[in-house]
């Protein structure tokens, strides 16, 4: 299997169903990618991920390069082999983690110099280096290094970051095309990342510049970092309106359950977020009736499943009272079960979104999602 | 299904295969019971335990009574229902945990007064109370409250504890027979616990006294708490020689993998130990080639499974290098996978022991087990 992307169906309200083919399987889009930072989705085994129907997961270049190192992973046959995962993988560029986790960042046109959050060691991440590391990891989809800035950002900061992001994208693309095999029988696709903070014209400018580099897919980065949901949607919409219809679009780091359909309506095909897994470890489970903070004493005698409308193996077997007890006792099993449920919940929402599109009912479904959480649609 | 125990085959070297029937299934003995302290075997879901073939697990009365409380568990339908476990459960009396975990213990003939290690609250555990709690929990097999002492113990201390243990066993038996239905269609079996520290005559005296109370099964307690393996075996052998052939014998809190067959040779049918699960969480895995401290840097590039001779799902899928990475990164998945393997390893040793007995080859198998770990047979 080589790479391809095909739109199969579009919805009157916006949004499309598609099929993303990779050397590690076919992925139905829109798709949610569970986050497997250190080559594991926290608290889930690969068997569990397969049972849940995850066809693509995300892994973090920053974490894997610091530990165990991209050279070791390449030596052991690449990320798929290392973690024994036969389905698809997307790796980020490491940029976002450098900006959010590391110390003593110094950004120049060359790249970003930083100290590891693990041991304080000094590293230099350049567009070429990020591409090189990701080629070594061997994920199906790699991302270019971009400059992430805090928001809200002054316009001049956003402009400078946009300029640098385009420049870095050009260098990343050059490195990739020299070192990877993207035609014939490619092993990796490289995606560009549109920046531009919360300025619509900068978003359009960034998209236009990246289109010139002819990426097989495009991401929208630097959103969902604190700005209102309406703004996230507005910016994502500005970008997707300009992107080619026949290439996948990935909105990075989103989102809350009730927001997923909004992004799909804007033409987004791929999303990732730590929310379902991180929230689960903190006893927050998502249900068709809203969020349940399962550690709360009110669930002490609650014999219902986490979500009466859920078909996951956790809801079929365990009660809220039992989950509540496991969290109160600090048991590892609590994280396992809650994570399993939350990832099922997210993947199931995406299944429902794809189904809604197949019936041309995405607008109705998006409204229903918001109603469940008592939050008005964007 | 009601309760019964039947010896099916004895080995020339000592030891027997049997069948323990409970209202929650038939258990082939000798059996190892994974420890599920707080109504969960740490890092394993109930689905995983079923996959592993666990037919009986142990839960701790002390922990469950402090959190979430035996009254809540009874209200929610008992321990099987609470934790959604349809196979058999054995609960200990709480005595050992009171002696090892709680503060400010004060032992009188009435019982033991202690402070919870969780919140400092004061509790009184009596033989009647331990029986009452266990009836509420509703495990298939309950244990009487015994007095656990530190070893090595002076003879006068051991004599006093033995006297009190017999006295408490009488009271526990009376309470149980008044409140439980042990004839007709009983829901619980109550086992006595033989004490006597490391004094052979006291062990015999304790066994003789408990035989008068006509328990359907007998445990050997207060061993494997620091004394040499030879002494554990000597004491267990003194006891099993006196116990009725047609009732199950349970050696509490053992043991290391290479010791399991030694205990079976002495006529032990049931064992439990936190070792496989606790060691797993500390990156110690048991293999057919000995212990592997998987966090060690030497495994960084090791592409072999944890145990090349193991058929468990972890060994079929993952490498030592990957497990090593997960432990180095402090991932929950490390505990899940290592625990799964170690519990499989223990249950598999018991399967091999039962098979060895069926061929009359237990002595040979016991020697092989010791040879693997370079420890001479007792």
């Amino acid at each position: 299997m080589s790479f391809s992307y095909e739109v199969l169906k579009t919805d009157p309200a916006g949004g499309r169903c598609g099929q993303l083919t990779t050397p590690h399987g076919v992925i139905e889009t829109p798709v949610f990618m569970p986050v497997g930072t250190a080559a594991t989705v926290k608290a889930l085994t690969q068997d569990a991920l397969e049972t849940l129907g995850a066809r693509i997961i995300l892994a973090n270049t920053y974490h894997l390069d610091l530990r165990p190192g991209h050279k070791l992973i390449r030596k052991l046959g690449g990320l798929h082999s290392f973690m024994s995962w036969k389905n698809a993988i997307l790796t980020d560029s490491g940029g976002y983690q450098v900006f959010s986790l590391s110390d003593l960042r110094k950004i120049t046109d060359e790249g970003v110099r930083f100290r590891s959050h693990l041991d304080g060691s000094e590293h230099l991440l350049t567009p070429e280096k990020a591409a090189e590391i990701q080629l070594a990891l061997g994920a199906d989809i790699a991302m270019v290094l971009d400059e992430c800035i805090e928001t809200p950002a002054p316009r001049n900061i956003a402009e400078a970051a946009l300029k640098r992001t385009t420049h870095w994208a050009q260098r990343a693309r050059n490195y990739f095309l020299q070192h990877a095999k993207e035609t014939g029988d490619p092993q990796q696709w490289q995606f560009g990342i549109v920046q531009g903070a919360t300025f619509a014209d900068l978003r359009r400018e960034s998209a236009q510049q990246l289109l010139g580099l002819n990426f097989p897919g495009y991401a929208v980065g630097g959103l969902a970092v604190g700005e209102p949901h309406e703004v996230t949607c507005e910016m994502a919409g500005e970008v997707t309106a300009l992107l080619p219809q026949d290439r996948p679009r990935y909105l990075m780091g989103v989102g809350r359950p009730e927001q997923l359909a909004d992004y799909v309506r804007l033409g987004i095909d791929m999303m990732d977020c730590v929310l379902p897994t991180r929230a689960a470890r903190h006893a927050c489970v998502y249900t068709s009736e809203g969020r349940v903070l399962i550690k709360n004493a009110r669930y002490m005698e609650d014999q219902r499943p986490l979500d009466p409308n859920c078909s996951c193996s956790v809801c079929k077997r365990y009660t809220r009272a039992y989950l509540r007890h496991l969290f109160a006792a600090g048991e590892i099993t609590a994280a396992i079960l809650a994570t399993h449920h939350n990832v099922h919940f997210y993947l199931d929402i995406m299944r429902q979104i794809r189904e809604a599109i197949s019936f041309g009912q995405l607008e109705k479904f998006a409204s229903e999602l918001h109603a469940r959480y008592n939050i008005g649609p964007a």
Side-chain angles (χ1 to χ4, degrees), chain A:
Chain A
M1 255 181 311
S2 190
F3 284 97
S4 66
Y5 177 74
E6 190 185 357
V7 174
L8 300 176
K9 179 93 167 66
T10 54
D11 190 276
R16 68 255 192 98
C17 280
Q19 197 167 281
L20 174 61
T21 301
T22 76
H24 292 90
V26 175
I27 300 142
E28 290 180 75
T29 63
V31 67
F32 178 82
M33 304 181 283
V35 177
T37 296
T40 170
V41 175
K42 290 184 196 303
L44 290 184
T45 64
Q46 276 71 308
D47 292 281
L49 284 167
E50 287 169 0
T51 302
L52 286 163
R55 304 302 299 269
I56 180 168
I57 61 172
L58 180 144
N60 286 123
T61 290
Y62 170 86
H63 291 86
L64 290 173
D65 188 41
L66 293 182
R67 185 173 56 195
H70 71 279
K71 288 179 184 166
L72 177 67
I73 290 179
R74 179 173 50 199
K75 189 170 177 184
L76 299 180
L79 198 46
H80 289 92
S81 169
F82 178 62
M83 66 181 289
S84 185
W85 177 248
K86 65 176 175 20
N87 295 340
I89 305 175
L90 179 150
T91 44
D92 61 10
S93 68
Y96 182 76
Q97 279 71 32
V98 166
F99 288 92
S100 60
L101 291 177
S102 70
D103 295 325
L104 296 170
R105 294 178 301 278
K106 192 167 175 239
I107 304 156
T108 63
D109 284 343
E110 186 190 10
V112 52
R113 198 171 290 279
F114 66 96
R115 287 191 186 279
S116 159
H117 76 293
L118 294 177
D119 61 5
S121 58
E122 197 174 300
H123 300 260
L124 173 68
L125 189 65
T126 65
E128 293 82 5
K129 181 80 182 169
E132 179 197 344
I133 294 170
Q134 290 179 86
L135 279 168
L137 295 176
D140 301 274
I141 298 172
M143 306 302 299
V144 298
L145 184 66
D146 55 339
E147 182 177 348
C148 306
I149 55 173
E150 286 180 18
T151 56
R155 187 172 172 96
N156 65 321
I157 299 280
E159 280 176 339
L162 157 55
K163 190 175 164 193
R164 188 173 274 147
T165 291
T166 299
H167 180 59
W168 284 1
Q170 175 73 67
R171 283 166 52 192
R173 193 76 188 132
N174 288 345
Y175 184 94
F176 182 83
L177 293 176
Q178 281 161 26
H179 294 84
K181 197 176 161 199
E182 205 181 50
T183 53
D185 188 14
Q187 293 305 304
Q188 188 170 82
W189 257 7
Q190 186 189 47
F191 281 17
I193 304 178
V194 176
Q195 288 288 353
T198 50
F199 302 96
D201 61 322
L202 296 188
R203 285 281 167 188
R204 290 192 294 269
E205 185 182 335
S206 176
Q208 293 289 10
Q209 291 177 359
L210 291 182
L211 286 176
L213 298 176
N214 194 29
F215 287 100
Y218 293 87
V220 186
L223 289 177
V225 288
E227 79 282 0
H229 177 56
E230 293 74 10
V231 175
T232 314
C233 288
E234 185 198 339
M235 294 300 123
E238 291 286 351
V239 174
T240 52
L242 296 177
L243 295 177
Q245 289 291 329
D246 62 349
R247 302 197 183 180
R249 298 91 169 260
Y250 162 30
L251 182 56
M252 304 180 84
V254 294
R256 293 161 56 114
E258 72 275 14
Q259 300 170 336
L260 301 178
D262 299 335
Y263 301 134
V264 170
R265 286 183 61 180
L266 298 168
I268 295 297
D269 306 301
M270 306 163 71
M271 297 172 230
D272 79 285
C273 195
V274 295
L275 196 56
T277 44
R278 181 175 293 166
R281 297 197 302 283
H282 291 91
C284 171
V285 294
Y286 295 101
T287 80
S288 60
E289 296 163 355
R291 290 198 315 165
V292 169
L293 301 173
I294 194 63
K295 214 170 170 174
N296 195 301
R298 80 169 71 167
Y299 302 115
M300 200 179 275
E301 302 185 6
D302 194 333
Q303 301 249 45
R304 290 175 297 167
L306 291 177
D307 184 349
N309 299 314
C310 177
S311 63
C312 86
S313 60
V314 174
C315 287
K316 278 194 273 188
R317 180 155 200 166
Y318 305 100
T319 63
R320 293 179 177 191
Y322 182 61
L323 267 291
R324 195 259 166 199
H325 161 70
L326 293 180
F327 273 106
E331 287 286 342
I332 292 174
T333 325
I336 300 171
L337 298 179
T339 303
H340 193 100
H341 168 80
N342 273 2
V343 170
H344 174 92
F345 184 79
Y346 265 66
L347 296 182
D348 197 53
I349 283 190
M350 299 311 284
R351 273 188 287 267
Q352 292 176 60
I353 286 175
R354 294 193 297 269
E355 190 178 271
I357 293 173
S358 77
F359 289 106
Q361 301 279 320
L362 184 56
E363 185 167 1
K364 182 160 167 271
F365 182 73
S367 299
E368 280 172 14
L369 266 187
H370 279 278
R372 282 186 209 170
Y373 293 85
N374 295 317
I375 298 167

